C-alpha cells in the first residue's frame, strides 16, 4: 500500500491509550485506520523523521499488544528506538512536507527558582517547555535570561494554575505531553502565620491543574514534593518508606497532595506520576544569569550566606551549635539546583517510557553542617562570612539527609555537583545580581512560539 505523505501536513497525534491511532482530520487514508505502531513503522521506512513517545508509552504499557497480524508492538518499538535514538527531538514530529508538530512540557511555576533551572535542563534534553506563572514569587525578567541561556524564546502564559478553564486551554493549545508542577508557596514560617493562604494556593492550584489535565487528556505529571514530608525523621539517611508527618501547614499541603495523587493513580492507572521529594536545593546556573531570588529576608541558609558575603547583611545567625552533629550545627543534604533539574528530566523520561507512579528522594546522600557550608562559601567567594551563634530555631531537626539510591535505581540519575560548585555558582549569581532580577531591565512576557 502506498504511503501518502502529503496528507500528514495537519496530522493530529492523539495519545489515545486504547487505540493508538494517528488521525488526520478531514482525511480518509487507509493508513490512518491502522494501529499507530504500523503507521510509525511505515513513516520510518519511507525515510521520514518521526518520533512520538506518547504512542510508545501506551504501547509499552500494554507490553506485547498484538496488532492483529501476529506482530507485537514492542518489537516495532525497539526497531524504532534503535534507528532514531539520539538523533531527533523527543517530542517533535517532522514531516517531509515541512510540517512540525511540537508537543510541550508544561512547567507551572516555571519562572521560579527550581522551575527556571529545570526549563534549561529540559531544553538541553531536547524538550520544548512552556511556562505558566502568575509571578507571585518571581519576575518576568527571568524569561529573556532563559532565552539567552538556551538560545530559544520560552513560551510563557501568565495566569493562575488554580484556574482550571485557563489551564485546560493552555494544555490543549500547546499540545502538552506532560506537566511539571512547581507552582506553590514555600515559606514555612509564613505558612504558620498565614495557614489559609497556603492551603488555598497550594491545594487549589493542584486541584485546578489535575482537573484541567483530566479535561485535556494529559495524565503525565511530575510533582515538587519536599523532604518536609518526613517531619522529624527518626534516623538518617532517609528512605522513601520512612513514616510521613508534618510540622507546619506548608508541609501539610505537600503531604495532602502526595495522598491526592496516590488516590488518583489508584483510581485511574492511565495516570503516570512522579513525586519528587527535594532535599535542600541551592546554587545556580553557572552562567550567573538565573538563580534563587528570595523576596525580603531569606529564610534559608544559602541565600542568607550569599547576602552576607555580598555585604547586604552584616552577619549570619547560626541557629544552634549544640546538636549531636560533627560541629554542633545542623546538618542538611544540599543539592545543586541543576542536579535537581536533571533529576526532573530523568523522571520525565521514566514516566514517558514506562508510565508509572513513583516517589523518590532527590538529594546527594551527603550531609553538611552549617559551619561547613559557611567555610565552603568563604572559599568560593573569597569573602568572609561573620557568624553569630544563636539558640536553636524552633522546629529544626539536627540532621536531615537522603538515601538517594531509589532515584538512581529507578531513574538512572544521581547528583554529581560538589558543595564547592554549589557555593561557587550561588556566589556568581549573587555577586552579578546583588538585587536579583529586580535590577534587570524590565521585560515583557515573551510571546509564545505557536
Ligand atoms: P519559587 O517560589 O521560586 O517558584 C514557585 C513559582 O510558582 C513562582 O514563580 C510563583 O510565582 C509561582 N506560583 C505560585 N503560586 C502560583 C499559582 N497559583 N499560579 C501560578 N503560579 C504560581 O519556588 P521554588 O523554590 O522554585 O520551588 C518550586 C516548588 O518546589 C514549590 O512547590 C516548592 O514547595 C517545592 N520545593 C522547594 C524547595 C526549595 O528549597 N526551594 C524545597 C522543597 C520543595
Ligand atoms: C527548610 C524548610 C523545609 C524545606 C527545606 C528545603 C524551614 C523551617 N524548613 O528546611 O520545609 O523542606 O528548607 O528547602 O524553613 N540556618 C541557620 N541560619 C539561617 C538559616 C538557616 O543557621 O539564617 C540553619 C538551619 O538551622 C538549618 C540549616 O541552616 O540547620 C538549613 O536551614 P534551611 O536552609 O532553612 O533549610 P531546612 O532547615 O532544611
Amino acid at each position: 500500500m502506498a504511503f501518502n505523505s502529503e496528507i500528514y501536513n495537519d496530522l493530529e497525534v492523539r495519545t489515545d491509550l486504547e487505540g493508538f491511532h494517528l488521525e488526520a482530520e478531514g482525511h480518509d487514508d487507509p493508513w490512518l485506520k491502522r494501529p499507530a505502531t504500523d503507521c510509525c513503522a511505515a513513516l520510518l521506512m519511507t525515510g521520514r523523521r518521526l518520533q512520538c513517545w506518547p504512542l510508545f508509552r501506551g504501547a509499552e504499557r500494554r507490553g506485547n499488544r498484538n496488532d492483529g497480524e501476529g506482530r507485537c508492538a514492542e518489537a516495532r518499538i525497539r526497531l524504532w528506538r534503535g534507528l532514531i535514538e539520539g538523533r531527533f527531538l523527543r517530542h517533535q514530529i517532522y514531516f517531509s512536507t515541512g510540517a512540525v508538530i511540537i508537543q510541550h512540557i508544561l512547567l507551572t511555576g516555571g519562572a521560579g527558582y527550581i522551575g527556571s533551572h529545570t526549563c534549561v535542563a529540559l531544553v538541553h534534553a531536547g524538550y520544548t517547555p512552556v511556562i505558566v506563572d502568575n509571578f507571585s514569587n518571581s519576575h518576568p525578567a527571568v524569561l529573556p535570561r532563559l532565552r539567552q541561556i538556551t538560545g530559544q524564546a520560552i513560551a510563557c502564559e501568565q495566569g493562575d494554575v488554580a484556574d482550571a478553564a485557563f489551564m485546560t486551554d493552555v494544555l490543549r493549545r500547546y499540545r502538552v505531553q506532560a506537566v511539571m508542577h512547581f507552582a506553590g508557596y514555600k515559606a514555612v514560617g509564613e505558612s504558620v502565620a498565614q495557614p489559609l493562604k497556603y492551603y488555598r494556593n497550594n491545594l487549589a492550584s493542584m486541584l485546578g491543574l489535575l482537573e484541567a489535565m483530566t479535561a485535556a487528556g494529559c495524565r503525565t505529571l511530575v510533582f515538587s514534593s519536599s523532604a518536609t514530608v518526613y517531619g522529624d525523621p527518626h534516623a538518617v539517611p532517609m528512605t522513601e518508606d520512612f513514616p510521613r508527618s508534618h510540622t507546619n501547614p506548608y508541609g501539610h499541603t505537600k503531604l495532602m497532595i502526595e495522598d491526592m495523587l496516590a488516590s488518583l493513580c489508584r483510581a485511574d492507572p492511565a495516570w503516570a506520576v512522579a513525586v519528587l521529594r527535594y532535599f535542600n536545593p541551592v546554587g545556580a546556573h553557572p552562567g550567573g544569569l538565573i538563580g534563587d531570588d528570595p523576596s525580603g529576608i531569606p529564610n534559608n541558609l544559602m541565600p542568607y550566606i550569599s547576602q552576607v558575603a555580598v555585604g547586604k547583611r552584616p552577619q549570619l545567625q547560626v541557629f544552634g551549635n549544640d546538636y549531636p552533629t560533627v560541629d554542633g550545627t545542623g546538618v542538611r543534604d544540599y543539592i545543586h539546583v541543576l542536579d535537581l533539574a536533571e533529576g526532573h528530566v530523568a523522571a520525565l523520561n521514566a514516566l514517558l517510557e514506562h508510565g508509572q507512579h513513583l516517589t523518590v528522594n532527590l538529594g546527594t546522600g551527603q550531609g553538611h553542617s552549617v559551619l561547613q557550608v559557611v567555610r565552603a562559601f568563604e572559599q568560593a567567594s573569597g569573602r568572609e562570612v561573620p557568624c553569630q551563634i544563636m539558640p536553636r530555631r524552633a522546629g529544626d531537626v539536627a540532621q536531615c539527609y537522603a538515601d538517594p539510591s531509589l532515584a538512581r535505581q529507578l531513574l538512572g540519575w544521581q547528583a554529581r555537583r560538589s558543595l564547592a560548585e554549589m557555593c561557587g555558582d550561588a556566589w556568581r549569581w549573587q555577586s552579578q545580581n546583588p538585587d536579583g532580577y529586580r535590577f534587570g531591565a524590565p521585560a515583557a512576557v515573551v510571546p509564545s512560539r505557536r
Side-chain angles (χ1 to χ4, degrees):
M1 196 180 319
F3 172 72
N4 176 4
S5 66
E6 294 308 314
I7 67 162
Y8 288 89
N9 248 337
D10 54 353
L11 183 87
E12 181 80 42
V13 177
R14 297 270 163 82
T15 59
D16 172 3
L17 295 180
E18 293 312 313
F20 317 132
H21 294 305
L22 289 172
E23 296 175 9
E25 250 141 28
H27 295 291
D28 189 24
D29 185 294
W31 275 99
L32 300 176
K33 308 291 178 223
R34 299 170 70 102
T37 45
D38 260 13
C39 294
C40 295
L43 284 163
L44 185 74
M45 281 168 206
T46 57
R48 246 145 291 278
R49 300 195 292 169
L50 170 73
Q51 186 176 19
C52 182
W53 280 44
L55 294 173
F56 292 153
R57 187 186 116 194
E60 277 184 340
R61 199 180 291 178
R62 281 156 184 80
N64 291 349
R65 194 183 156 106
N66 202 288
D67 68 3
E69 296 172 34
R71 293 165 301 190
C72 72
E74 211 166 294
R76 286 165 191 276
I77 292 161
R78 279 209 201 97
L79 164 77
W80 244 66
R81 285 240 176 94
L83 285 173
I84 61 176
E85 193 142 44
R87 283 175 51 210
F88 305 111
L89 296 180
R90 298 223 151 102
H91 55 296
Q92 300 191 0
I93 305 175
Y94 294 90
F95 299 96
S96 61
T97 54
V100 181
I101 291 176
I102 299 179
Q103 290 191 296
H104 288 80
I105 305 300
L106 172 62
L107 281 69
T108 73
Y113 173 46
I114 300 169
S116 57
H117 287 83
T118 304
C119 199
V120 172
L122 282 168
V123 171
H124 286 155
Y127 289 102
T128 304
V130 52
I131 291 172
V132 167
D133 206 299
N134 63 5
F135 301 110
S136 55
N137 195 38
S138 52
H139 198 286
V142 71
L143 297 168
R145 291 172 180 222
L146 285 175
R147 181 180 194 154
Q148 214 175 321
I149 296 169
T150 63
Q152 289 184 22
I154 305 298
C156 180
E157 298 278 340
Q158 185 166 355
D160 195 316
V161 181
D163 181 344
F166 161 70
M167 291 303 293
T168 306
D169 176 57
V170 170
L171 287 160
R172 288 197 173 127
R173 274 194 287 120
Y174 288 87
R175 300 172 196 274
V176 171
Q177 185 180 14
V179 179
M180 294 186 173
H181 181 47
F182 300 99
Y185 296 151
K186 62 169 182 178
V188 173
E190 188 184 49
S191 81
V192 175
Q194 301 179 58
L196 295 186
K197 176 176 172 181
Y198 275 68
Y199 287 119
R200 158 64 62 192
N201 191 48
N202 291 6
L203 299 180
S205 58
M206 184 75 265
L207 283 169
L209 175 63
L210 292 174
E211 283 165 9
M213 289 177 72
T214 305
C218 172
R219 292 189 180 79
T220 304
L221 175 71
V222 178
F223 172 63
S224 302
S225 189
S226 165
T228 193
V229 300
Y230 295 117
D232 189 352
H234 61 275
V236 282
M238 290 130 84
T239 51
E240 290 79 357
D241 54 3
F242 267 35
R244 296 175 315 146
S245 64
H246 59 87
T247 52
N248 53 68
Y250 164 72
H252 197 191
T253 64
K254 293 294 179 195
L255 211 131
M256 284 194 278
I257 291 173
E258 284 197 0
D259 290 343
M260 199 189 289
L261 294 173
S263 308
L264 191 61
C265 290
R266 265 195 302 275
D268 180 357
W271 279 90
V273 175
V275 170
L276 306 182
R277 293 180 180 157
Y278 311 158
F279 278 68
N280 292 60
V282 296
H285 186 270
L289 283 170
I290 58 172
D292 195 3
D293 183 20
S295 48
I297 302 170
N299 297 307
N300 298 115
L301 180 66
M302 187 69 91
Y304 205 106
I305 292 179
S306 307
Q307 293 197 4
V308 173
V310 85
K312 285 180 78 173
R313 304 192 186 277
Q315 63 190 8
L316 172 75
Q317 298 190 325
V318 176
F319 299 137
N321 67 348
D322 55 352
Y323 286 110
T325 60
V326 58
D327 55 21
T329 63
V331 165
R332 298 290 183 275
D333 187 339
Y334 298 95
I335 175 171
H336 196 295
V337 66
L338 278 183
D339 277 328
L340 192 75
E342 287 162 12
H344 286 71
V345 175
L348 177 67
N349 290 341
L351 291 184
L352 294 178
E353 276 185 66
H354 308 300
Q356 56 180 314
H357 182 58
L358 59 91
T359 298
V360 292
N361 290 336
L362 292 188
T364 63
Q366 241 196 308
H368 288 105
S369 75
V370 174
L371 292 180
Q372 285 170 338
V373 176
V374 169
R375 301 294 162 247
F377 203 95
E378 286 180 329
Q379 281 219 316
S381 64
R383 299 283 179 97
E384 198 194 337
V385 177
C387 294
Q388 181 187 17
I389 305 297
M390 301 293 287
R392 293 179 179 191
R393 182 171 69 178
D396 268 358
V397 298
Q399 304 201 69
C400 168
Y401 54 91
D403 178 338
S405 48
L406 189 64
R408 194 165 58 236
Q409 188 190 319
L410 294 182
L411 310 180
W413 167 91
Q414 63 183 359
R416 52 196 176 88
R417 293 168 177 88
S418 66
L419 181 62
E421 282 173 278
M422 299 177 212
C423 293
D425 291 338
W427 173 242
R428 197 171 302 103
W429 157 252
Q430 180 69 61
S431 53
Q432 290 179 14
N433 309 270
D435 293 303
Y437 293 110
R438 281 156 199 84
F439 248 149
V445 173
V446 177
S448 68
R449 287 199 314 144
R450 277 167 297 124

